[in-house]
């Protein structure tokens, strides 16, 4: 059984993953330990955790694999500057010294980083490099429940590729077709993220959340779509695109787009992050989201045509666009789709390790046709009651300890039903960007005040941002039009008519703020303005404690879902350790905190139960 450590680093969302005998043992993002969001540094802490989880030392690893090939990436950068010369000189002078100093000598950086973890003999280390999109493809295919599947990877850019179509069968993956830089669906979406005032590589989900505020019937939306398709891009039948570099600046510049050209094209200046959101911003977000969905579907059709596969696996940053995934599912191109829950670069460490296990060492693929291998994405560290108790004593925190967890569930479910907002910390931390019930903030989705309270008083983020429901898997169709389970919160679907409320006749003409506070459904706080929600189906066999809480809430209220959002505030990563959770609890307007069997309250005298 080969012991393989995968590493993703030096761009954004550094991570480490450990595979033993083809089985996923541990995976975590570095940001969770350092508390620096989207940390790109060498993942010292994540590697330490992975090794500790397995009881291994560095010398006991059979190989360490990096998730992409830096020299190929350097080749792309140099050729791009050469092709655009003399344009891009300022960027060239800024970027190339970094590559010369650091990235060309990546092996040295990795060896030095490993010394921070512990002593080892360099001769014992087999250091390998996977291609970026092979890492993405492997992260999606190998953990899936499909023996054979088409594989679609879409992101900003790896070495040269920006999207690939491949086929996975058994323990082999072959990439059959690729789209190359500078033509990139991910960079197109990031360009609009930038222009609409959000941060590139982290704000794309905000753009997706803003899009439903656009007026789909307006002439402005149609005009924007036409401009995108005629001025910015050319879309081919196979889903490949050509981007008009006259309007873009990411290839050799320090910004994503040419602001002046975009202002002239769309009729308004680039929005600054603190500027008010106007209807034109919402309409442009809707327009690019619509175009992205069209292209993703075309790519999927091409994947079907050239592979003949009945199933699809998908990864890369664009795979986190749950609306596009939902539209893809509706087309019934494939019987089923598996989306890697850590679809972005963090998941690259996992894919690289899996690729080496299956394709380099020829190990048998760990496979189950009924259950994927991601273990619910609960692959991070967990903490014992002893550690929680020590933290509580050190901080002089007042708590209630429950010896009977069923009593804890009854108490917390009742508090949620009374309108309280709960910090919920249990078991192993999630790998990937979604909180899936182990590092979550929870509340009653029926309470019409909770969306506003969470956004403005607790999360400290934009008030238009939607929240996700976590629903008992057996009750998902009581609320949502779902054809398959969504355990990783990767599908945005529509609310069933029975739960909807009638909207004003002039709804499409309302402003963003007016739409936001229209009561839309029986579960208002998880219902987006277009009656959609990014759903997590919760399964008893995968997460019995979280399932138990929702089930107890159902027993008390008749409602079998909770609002679930990540346990963090704006600008910070999701909490990792108990002390992170406690500080977040104290510093915000959370009402209760649950860590393992311990309950903390700001309002009640605690005691041993």
């Amino acid at each position: 059984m080969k012991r393989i450590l995968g590493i993703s680093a030096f761009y954004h969302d550094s991570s480490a993953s450990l595979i033993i005998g083809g089985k996923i043992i541990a995976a975590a993002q570095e940001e969770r330990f350092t508390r620096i969001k989207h940390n790109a540094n060498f993942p010292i802490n994540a590697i330490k955790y992975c090794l500790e989880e397995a009881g291994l030392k560095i010398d006991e690893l059979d190989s360490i694999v990096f998730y992409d090939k830096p020299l190929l990436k350097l080749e792309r950068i140099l050729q791009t500057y050469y092709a655009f010369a003399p344009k891009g000189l300022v960027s060239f002078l800024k970027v190339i010294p970094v590559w010369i100093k650091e990235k060309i000598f990546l092996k040295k950086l990795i060896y030095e980083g490993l010394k921070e973890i512990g002593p080892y003999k360099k001769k014992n280390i087999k250091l390998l490099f996977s291609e970026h999109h092979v890492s993405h493809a492997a992260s999606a295919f190998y953990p899936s429940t499909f023996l054979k599947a088409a594989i679609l990877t879409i992101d900003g850019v790896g070495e040269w590729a920006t999207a690939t179509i491949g086929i996975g069968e058994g323990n082999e993956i072959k990439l059959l077709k690729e789209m190359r830089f500078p033509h990139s669906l991910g960079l197109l979406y990031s360009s609009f993220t930038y222009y609409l005032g959000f941060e590139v590589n982290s704000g794309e989900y905000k753009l997706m959340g803003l899009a439903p505020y656009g007026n789909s019937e307006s002439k402005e939306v149609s005009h924007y779509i036409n401009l995108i398709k005629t001025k910015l891009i050319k879309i081919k039948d196979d889903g490949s695109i050509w981007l008009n570099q006259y309007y873009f600046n990411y290839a050799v510049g320090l910004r994503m787009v040419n602001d002046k050209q975009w202002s002239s094209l769309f009729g308004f200046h680039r929005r600054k992050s603190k500027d008010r959101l106007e209807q034109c911003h919402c309409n442009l977000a809707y327009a690019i989201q619509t175009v992205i969905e069209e292209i993703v579907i075309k790519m999927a059709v091409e994947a079907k045509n050239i592979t003949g596969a009945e199933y699809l696996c998908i990864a890369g940053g664009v795979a986190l666009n749950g609306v596009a995934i939902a539209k893809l599912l509706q087309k019934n191109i494939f019987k089923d789709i598996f989306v890697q829950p850590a679809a972005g670069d963090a998941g690259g460490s996992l894919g690289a390790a899996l690729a080496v296990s299956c394709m380099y060492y020829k190990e048998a693929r760990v496979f189950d046709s009924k259950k994927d291998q991601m273990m619910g994405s609960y692959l991070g560290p967990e903490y014992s009651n002893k550690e929680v108790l020590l933290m509580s004593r050190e901080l002089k925190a007042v708590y209630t300890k429950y010896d009977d967890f069923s009593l804890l569930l009854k108490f917390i479910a009742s508090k949620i039903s009374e309108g309280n907002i709960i910090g919920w910390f249990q078991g192993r931390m999630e790998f990937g960007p979604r909180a899936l019930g182990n590092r979550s903030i929870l509340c009653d989705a029926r309470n019409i005040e909770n969306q506003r309270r969470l956004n403005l008083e607790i999360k400290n983020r934009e008030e238009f941002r939607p929240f996700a429901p976590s629903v008992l898997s057996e009750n998902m169709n009581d609320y949502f039009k779902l054809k398959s389970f969504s355990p990783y919160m990767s599908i945005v679907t529509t609310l069933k008519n029975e739960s909807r409320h009638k909207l004003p006749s002039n709804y499409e003409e309302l402003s963003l703020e007016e739409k936001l506070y229209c009561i839309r459904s029986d579960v208002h706080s998880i219902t987006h303005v277009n009656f959609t929600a990014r759903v997590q189906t919760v399964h008893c066999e995968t997460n019995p404690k979280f399932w138990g809480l929702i089930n107890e809430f159902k027993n008390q209220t008749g409602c079998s879902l909770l609002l679930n959002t990540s346990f963090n505030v704006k600008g910070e990563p999701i909490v990792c350790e108990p002390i992170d959770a406690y500080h977040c609890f104290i510093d915000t307007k959370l009402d209760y905190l649950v860590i393992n069997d311990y309950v903390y309250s700001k309002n009640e005298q605690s005691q041993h139960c």
Side-chain angles (χ1 to χ4, degrees):
M1 295 201 307
K2 300 299 182 182
R3 292 159 291 192
I4 305 161
L5 178 72
I7 297 172
S8 165
F10 306 126
Y11 184 46
H12 59 85
D13 296 313
S14 293
S15 72
S17 301
L18 182 66
I19 309 298
I20 298 179
K23 183 180 179 181
I24 304 170
I25 303 300
Q29 293 113 295
E30 182 70 3
E31 66 166 18
R32 306 293 172 85
F33 304 95
T34 63
R35 313 307 302 155
I36 301 170
K37 197 164 186 178
H38 304 298
N39 195 332
N41 293 336
F42 187 77
I44 291 170
N45 298 283
I47 293 172
K48 283 182 179 179
Y49 154 67
C50 288
L51 295 175
E52 288 169 2
E53 184 69 26
L56 293 175
K57 297 179 180 179
I58 296 173
D59 277 338
E60 296 176 295
L61 295 169
D62 291 286
S63 65
I64 297 173
V65 54
F66 193 73
Y67 81 126
D68 69 7
K69 295 190 174 181
L71 292 181
L72 276 179
K73 188 173 285 187
L74 176 61
E75 175 189 82
R76 183 253 299 169
I77 290 171
L78 291 174
Q79 287 193 26
T80 300
Y81 279 117
Y82 178 77
F84 281 84
K87 184 181 177 182
L89 179 61
V90 173
S91 176
F92 178 88
L93 293 174
K94 182 177 181 180
V95 170
I96 294 303
V98 175
W99 273 92
I100 293 173
K101 182 180 178 181
E102 297 181 359
K103 310 255 178 112
I104 289 179
F105 303 106
L106 186 60
K107 286 186 178 181
K108 181 181 178 182
L109 281 176
I110 293 173
Y111 288 131
E112 289 176 351
L114 293 173
K115 289 179 183 178
E116 298 290 323
I117 296 163
Y120 68 92
K121 295 179 180 178
K122 187 175 178 181
K123 66 178 182 179
N124 292 344
I125 300 296
K126 182 185 285 293
L127 187 56
L128 303 171
F129 294 84
S130 172
E131 287 191 26
H132 188 96
H133 279 262
V134 169
S135 298
H136 277 320
S139 76
F141 175 64
Y142 290 126
S144 77
T145 58
F146 313 137
L147 272 176
K148 180 180 179 180
I151 307 170
L152 183 58
T153 68
I154 317 170
D155 66 2
V157 60
E159 294 89 4
W160 275 103
T162 61
T164 68
I165 293 172
I167 182 76
E169 186 168 8
N171 69 341
E172 289 292 327
I173 288 175
K174 292 181 181 178
L175 298 187
L176 306 173
K177 191 172 185 178
E178 71 176 26
M179 186 165 69
R180 286 195 150 203
F181 186 86
H183 310 296
S184 165
L185 192 61
L187 292 175
L188 173 66
Y189 203 69
S190 292
S191 295
F192 281 85
T193 300
Y194 161 83
Y195 198 72
L196 289 171
F198 305 120
E199 190 173 345
V200 173
N201 290 328
S202 65
E204 283 76 8
Y205 59 96
K206 297 181 185 180
L207 177 59
M208 184 178 69
L210 181 64
Y213 290 93
N215 185 345
S216 60
E217 305 297 324
S218 73
K219 291 182 180 179
E220 188 172 58
V221 165
S222 298
H223 176 60
Y224 288 158
I225 292 174
N226 182 61
L227 288 175
I228 293 168
K229 289 185 175 182
T230 58
K231 299 294 184 179
L232 297 186
I233 65 173
K234 291 181 181 178
I235 306 171
K236 298 180 181 179
D237 290 340
D238 64 356
S240 61
I241 59 174
W242 177 88
L243 298 186
N244 184 352
Q245 293 302 305
Y246 172 75
Y247 289 98
F248 296 92
N249 204 33
Y250 58 76
V252 290
L254 300 175
R255 294 184 177 185
M256 291 301 297
V257 306
N258 186 317
D259 288 6
K260 183 178 180 181
Q261 300 300 341
W262 278 50
S263 297
S264 176
L265 184 65
F266 293 114
F268 62 86
H269 293 296
R270 179 173 71 89
R271 176 181 170 268
K272 304 293 178 60
S273 60
K274 294 184 179 180
D275 290 350
R276 186 177 185 273
L277 283 162
E278 305 289 350
Q279 191 58 43
C280 61
H281 303 130
C282 302
N283 286 343
L284 187 59
Y286 183 91
I288 187 56
Q289 176 65 33
T290 301
V291 172
I292 292 293
E293 292 163 14
E294 176 187 341
I295 295 168
V296 169
I297 290 169
K298 285 180 179 291
M299 287 184 174
V301 170
E302 180 68 5
K304 175 73 173 182
N305 290 340
I306 66 176
T307 66
E310 296 181 323
Y311 300 96
L312 176 69
C313 298
I314 184 167
V318 176
L320 294 171
N321 192 308
V323 179
I325 298 300
K327 295 291 177 64
L328 186 54
L329 280 166
Q330 290 170 13
K331 293 293 181 180
N332 293 316
I333 301 165
F334 296 93
K335 287 184 178 180
D336 201 2
I337 297 173
F338 177 76
V339 181
Q340 163 55 237
D345 275 11
S349 67
L350 177 62
L354 287 167
V356 167
S357 171
C358 290
M359 293 194 288
Y360 183 83
Y361 287 115
K362 303 297 182 182
E363 291 191 292
R365 176 186 173 194
V366 176
F367 175 78
D368 187 332
S369 62
K370 295 181 180 179
K371 182 175 67 175
D372 71 61
Q373 298 303 306
M374 288 299 296
M375 298 165 55
S377 213
Y378 307 117
L379 299 169
E382 63 180 329
Y383 299 87
S384 67
N385 274 349
K386 180 180 178 181
E387 291 171 294
V388 179
L389 179 59
L390 288 172
M391 177 208 73
S392 300
R393 289 174 174 171
E394 182 179 345
L395 299 177
K396 296 181 172 56
V398 180
Y399 59 84
T400 299
K401 167 70 163 57
Y402 282 81
D403 296 323
D404 185 341
F405 199 74
S406 66
L407 293 179
L408 184 154
L409 294 179
K410 289 180 185 295
F411 176 76
I412 293 300
S414 70
K415 291 303 174 184
I416 292 174
S417 69
E418 292 168 6
N420 293 285
I421 299 178
I422 312 296
W424 180 258
F425 184 112
Q426 299 289 332
R428 296 184 71 176
M429 181 179 67
E430 299 90 338
F431 180 53
R434 313 293 189 213
L436 300 171
N438 279 7
R439 303 290 188 274
S440 292
I441 293 174
L442 307 172
C443 62
D444 188 350
R446 302 170 302 167
N447 188 316
I448 62 175
E449 290 296 316
N450 278 342
Q451 181 179 13
R452 182 193 62 79
R453 282 188 64 199
L454 279 167
N455 274 331
L456 300 183
E457 297 180 10
I458 294 176
K459 302 281 282 187
N460 299 318
R461 65 183 198 178
E462 300 87 350
E463 63 179 336
F464 74 86
R465 300 269 297 279
F467 290 100
S470 292
V471 61
L472 298 179
S473 58
E474 54 267 44
N475 296 128
M476 67 181 190
N477 290 126
D478 293 346
Y479 301 91
F480 306 105
K481 297 178 181 179
L482 273 173
K483 294 182 179 180
S484 59
F485 294 128
S486 179
Y488 300 116
M489 210 181 278
S490 55
I491 302 170
V492 175
T493 190
T494 54
L495 195 72
K496 295 183 76 171
N497 292 335
E498 295 90 318
S499 297
R500 299 184 185 188
H501 290 189
K502 187 176 181 180
L503 297 176
S505 58
N506 65 335
Y507 184 70
E508 287 292 353
E509 299 169 12
L510 299 178
S511 67
L512 182 150
E513 291 82 3
E514 291 169 327
K515 284 183 179 179
L516 180 60
Y517 295 111
C518 278
I519 308 304
R520 297 179 290 279
S521 77
D522 297 335
V523 283
H524 169 79
S525 289
I526 57 87
T527 306
H528 207 11
V529 291
N530 60 348
F531 292 114
T532 63
R534 192 181 71 227
V535 179
Q536 179 198 9
T537 54
V538 181
H539 305 255
C540 184
E541 61 271 24
T542 307
N543 194 332
K545 288 187 175 181
F546 191 36
W547 183 94
L549 177 62
I550 302 173
N551 190 57
E552 179 58 39
F553 185 75
K554 174 188 174 183
N555 292 338
Q556 294 186 20
T557 67
C559 179
S560 50
L561 63 79
L562 291 175
L563 183 156
N564 174 14
T565 187
S566 56
F567 199 160
N568 66 326
V569 296
K570 184 179 180 181
E572 292 187 2
I574 295 173
V575 299
C576 176
E577 302 180 24
I579 196 168
D580 303 330
Y582 187 79
H583 284 319
C584 189
F585 167 64
I586 291 299
D587 294 340
T588 65
K589 293 186 178 182
L590 287 172
D591 299 301
Y592 290 86
L593 169 65
V594 182
I595 306 179
N596 294 357
D597 299 329
Y598 293 79
V599 176
Y600 306 81
S601 169
K602 292 175 181 172
N603 304 312
E604 297 182 2
Q605 184 70 33
S606 296
Q607 59 184 9
H608 181 85
C609 288

